[in-house]
Amino acid sequence: MKRILLVFFYLCILISAGAKRIVYPDLFQMPILFDGGRIPNVKPIQGNYLYMAQSELSNLQYREFLYWLKQNNPEKYASSVLDSTVFGEKMTQFCISYYNNSAYNHFPVFGISQIQAVAYCDWLHDRLKETFKREGIPVESFIVRLPTEKEWMHAARGGLSSTSIYPWNHEDVRYRGSKRKDFGKFLLNCRMGVFSYENTKPYLSHYTTEALSYWPNEFGLYNMCGNVGEWLSEEGKSKGGSWRMPPYNCRIDAEAFEQDSKKARNDIGMRYVIEILKVKDSKLVQTYNMDKKSFNKTFYYIPIKDSKHMIFMSNEIDNYWYKQFLLEKSEQSNALNALVWDKSFPYPYFQMYSWHSGFDNYPAVGMSYQAALEFCDWLNTKYDAMDKKPYSKVKFRLPSESEWEYAASGGKKANYPWKGSYVRNSRGCLLANFSMLDERYMALDSSGQVKWTVTDDDIKDKVLDGALIPSFVYSYFPNDFGLYNCSGNVSEMVAEEGVSKGGSWLSNQFEIMIISKGKYTEPSNDLGFRVLAEVVEK
């Protein structure tokens, strides 16, 4: 009997726990448009559009470059030969041996100028283009280049906080991990005090060590600090310190080494990045045909009291639906402006948002107010041509501000579509795609009033809600009417021109409240719309 009671008690606990459990959606990061793991010798450092070489460029890699130039471009070969005098005349023979002896194949190349480093990137671009075509990798256009200082520092930290001074999660230069045999070993190749055994202990080398040595950071990148410095895209600048510098100068936050010339040195090499610009898309857009089934599936009934007509509303218009509209109404005035992404991201990759099928289920942005009205008129034409209409006459239009607020609130007075006053659920998960202002941004002004001290970079860098950009249309949780993302994701145009509702992925928690109102004057990467269907005749 005691056992039965215990089992019954345990089942009650399980049922109770299950009833209270709130399922939070998976992270809504960028869609994967191709397999970046197929790009050789690199690791992703931002999304699937920016990759960095996992190690410093090796002697073997540079010799391949020189061999190709010697066979195909002798004039370029002459200007790309390494400087064997960077150690001085007495060490010239060592440099020649270092560059050509197979024992140093996998050691980092040095003695290259910044101009030569750029030339290598240009050459590698052409070779990778051949590889992508041969391997069937659907990358249509990309750039191979030197990293910017900001990109280099982000990659070096490997996902650690922006205050991390080394590629590992402590401020010591010795191993502090769980492997006892490695405990106390140096984590980088740099100058440890005066010239002594301590200085050469890490790999028993007076100069460089192999490019794939020590321990990689969390991005899988080796020797981001020490060994050899690495040229940046900024003129005359390099980062990372080197074998001849003390640990402080190898820190991530150490000021970039800057010289007037771009000339070669015995402690500067290179590491390249690959920036994806455009990925091929073979998916065709199908002509949109409205029928009773698609109408009932797309539009949700909104029971507005005292309304003369029945009202239905869609979720945010997604890219695929808008592309079907453009397939028939392809006037330039209706096109989505891909350049709206330039103000938020430096990478042209995001311009694929409006046309690549990987973003089909994401809300359409970048259209004008007139284009949104044209979309509604197109739906009117589609409905009028329907057979077996669910209602005799339906008018498709943008909702008024009051209609939008009623639909977003689920018919009840509320701050947010989920009827609560908080932006997190009981598990602490954010309930919408927006840019939350944390308490650390609160400050008192001279009059004693609370104000928010936040920059655009702080806003755009927020991914606590799981989304870097707008999330797909049916994400997070629907309100009582079945509508998704009435708060956050993208702001939504209403019938009143220049007015938007709901806030967006760039808005804070106050701007995504139902009563909040936004303004716009032109297409934007955070402005879309949803459509209201009004039954004029049953």
Side-chain angles (χ1 to χ4, degrees):
M1 184 65 180
K2 195 173 183 180
R3 284 186 179 179
I4 294 174
L5 287 172
L6 284 172
V7 171
F8 178 75
F9 179 69
Y10 180 66
L11 287 172
C12 287
I13 292 175
L14 286 178
I15 293 170
S16 175
K20 293 181 179 179
R21 182 172 178 266
I22 298 175
V23 178
Y24 188 68
D26 293 331
L27 292 182
F28 310 125
Q29 279 292 355
M30 297 284 289
I32 299 175
L33 306 186
F34 76 106
D35 181 9
R38 295 173 65 187
I39 303 177
N41 306 318
V42 296
K43 297 292 182 181
I45 61 171
Q46 274 186 221
N48 63 338
Y49 53 90
L50 193 64
Y51 298 80
M52 179 174 275
Q54 65 178 336
S55 70
E56 299 144 334
L57 193 74
S58 69
N59 283 314
L60 180 61
Q61 289 172 301
Y62 198 83
R63 282 209 303 271
E64 291 172 342
F65 165 55
L66 291 177
Y67 178 80
W68 190 94
L69 289 180
K70 193 172 185 178
Q71 301 297 316
N72 299 278
N73 193 341
E75 291 183 7
K76 191 79 172 178
Y77 170 79
S79 62
S80 299
V81 173
L82 295 165
D83 186 352
S84 60
T85 65
V86 289
F87 274 107
E89 292 184 6
K90 293 182 179 180
M91 295 287 287
T92 297
Q93 192 56 46
F94 165 75
C95 274
I96 294 174
S97 178
Y98 182 87
Y99 294 149
N100 298 298
N101 193 310
S102 61
Y104 295 101
N105 274 352
H106 303 297
F107 282 63
V109 67
F110 57 73
I112 58 173
S113 68
Q114 191 175 35
I115 294 173
Q116 289 173 321
V118 170
Y120 178 87
C121 291
D122 293 341
W123 171 83
L124 182 60
H125 173 271
D126 294 338
R127 305 290 75 75
L128 283 175
K129 196 172 182 179
E130 296 169 357
T131 301
F132 290 170
K133 185 177 181 179
R134 184 175 62 252
E135 299 293 330
I137 300 175
V139 174
E140 191 168 327
S141 59
F142 64 99
I143 302 172
V144 181
R145 56 175 173 79
L146 297 176
T148 65
E149 184 174 2
K150 185 176 180 180
E151 289 168 345
W152 188 94
M153 294 177 72
H154 168 75
R157 291 190 169 105
L160 297 176
S161 75
S162 59
T163 59
S164 297
I165 62 174
Y166 289 116
W168 45 88
N169 60 1
H170 56 81
E171 298 186 4
D172 195 356
V173 294
R174 294 177 183 267
Y175 182 81
R176 295 288 182 261
S178 58
K179 295 181 180 179
R180 298 192 58 165
K181 65 183 181 65
D182 293 328
F183 197 83
K185 290 183 178 179
F186 288 121
L187 290 166
L188 76 165
N189 178 23
C190 64
R191 176 184 173 186
M192 303 295 180
V194 296
F195 183 81
S196 65
Y197 175 68
E198 280 290 292
N199 189 20
T200 62
K201 184 178 179 181
Y203 275 83
L204 301 180
S205 170
H206 293 305
Y207 305 112
T208 58
T209 63
E210 291 188 354
L212 289 171
S213 58
Y214 297 96
W215 292 266
N217 69 5
E218 290 301 312
F219 283 170
L221 307 176
Y222 290 81
N223 283 311
M224 291 300 294
C225 291
N227 215 24
V228 292
E230 299 168 11
W231 285 117
L232 302 174
S233 61
E234 289 86 353
E235 185 172 358
K237 283 190 174 185
S238 64
K239 286 283 284 186
S242 70
W243 58 271
R244 61 185 290 186
M245 295 182 180
Y248 182 86
N249 298 95
C250 298
R251 290 165 48 134
I252 296 170
D253 60 348
E255 190 171 344
F257 181 80
E258 190 168 3
Q259 55 187 28
D260 294 333
S261 68
K262 309 170 187 177
K263 66 181 181 180
R265 287 167 51 98
N266 61 18
D267 61 346
I268 298 181
M270 67 169 289
R271 186 189 304 253
Y272 57 85
V273 295
I274 297 176
E275 179 187 342
I276 305 300
L277 304 180
K278 190 175 180 182
V279 179
K280 295 177 183 177
D281 187 11
S282 58
K283 187 175 179 180
L284 298 176
V285 180
Q286 302 295 322
T287 302
Y288 177 66
N289 294 309
M290 184 182 287
D291 55 27
K292 184 176 180 179
K293 183 179 179 181
S294 64
F295 178 90
N296 292 333
K297 184 179 179 181
T298 304
F299 291 91
Y300 298 80
Y301 177 55
I302 311 297
I304 299 180
K305 293 180 181 179
D306 303 323
S307 175
K308 294 181 180 179
H309 302 132
M310 294 177 66
I311 297 294
F312 295 83
M313 192 176 289
S314 73
N315 278 296
E316 296 161 327
I317 303 304
D318 63 26
N319 280 315
Y320 188 72
W321 204 2
Y322 199 88
K323 283 191 289 187
Q324 290 177 313
F325 161 62
L326 291 178
L327 192 63
E328 298 181 36
K329 302 288 184 178
S330 57
E331 291 83 358
Q332 184 60 36
S333 59
N334 293 328
L336 299 177
N337 185 358
L339 298 180
V340 295
W341 293 99
D342 289 353
K343 65 181 180 181
S344 298
F345 297 100
Y347 302 105
Y349 176 91
F350 289 88
Q351 294 183 16
M352 291 193 294
Y353 180 94
S354 61
W355 61 264
H356 196 282
S357 61
F359 297 98
D360 275 354
N361 296 323
Y362 287 64
V365 297
M367 79 290 293
S368 66
Y369 173 77
Q370 290 301 323
L373 297 181
E374 284 285 332
F375 183 92
C376 294
D377 288 342
W378 173 70
L379 288 182
N380 284 320
T381 304
K382 286 291 182 180
Y383 189 87
D384 291 342
M386 271 178 60
D387 294 326
K388 299 179 181 179
K389 299 179 179 69
Y391 305 100
S392 297
K393 183 68 175 177
V394 174
K395 180 176 176 57
F396 297 87
R397 58 180 173 82
L398 294 178
S400 67
E401 185 178 351
S402 60
E403 288 169 336
W404 186 95
E405 288 185 355
Y406 184 86
S409 66
K412 300 176 182 178
K413 290 184 178 180
N415 291 326
Y416 298 105
W418 46 88
K419 296 181 293 187
S421 298
Y422 302 98
V423 293
R424 296 180 183 270
N425 63 19
S426 60
R427 298 175 65 192
C429 300
L430 293 174
L431 292 166
N433 178 15
F434 68 106
S435 292
M436 185 176 185
L437 292 177
D438 291 338
E439 286 75 7
R440 66 177 179 270
Y441 296 118
M442 290 177 64
L444 293 177
D445 61 18
S446 57
S447 63
Q449 297 295 314
V450 173
K451 67 176 183 179
W452 295 94
T453 57
V454 63
T455 66
D456 285 345
D457 286 339
D458 293 321
I459 289 286
K460 294 166 187 171
D461 199 37
K462 297 270 182 198
V463 290
L464 295 174
D465 49 43
L468 176 64
I469 58 172
S471 179
F472 51 88
V473 170
Y474 294 95
S475 58
Y476 300 93
F477 306 98
N479 69 2
D480 287 348
F481 290 158
L483 302 177
Y484 288 80
N485 290 310
C486 289
S487 282
N489 215 33
V490 294
S491 300
E492 299 169 14
M493 303 179 202
V494 291
E496 295 83 355
E497 186 175 359
V499 175
S500 66
K501 297 291 291 182
S504 73
W505 60 285
L506 291 175
S507 303
N508 61 45
Q509 58 264 47
F510 305 107
E511 294 167 335
I512 66 169
M513 294 177 70
I514 292 172
I515 62 171
S516 297
K517 181 190 301 187
K519 294 183 179 181
Y520 65 90
T521 57
E522 60 185 9
S524 173
N525 61 20
D526 66 338
L527 179 67
F529 66 101
R530 67 180 76 216
V531 174
L532 181 143
E534 180 182 4
V535 178
V536 180
E537 295 178 14
K538 289 187 178 181

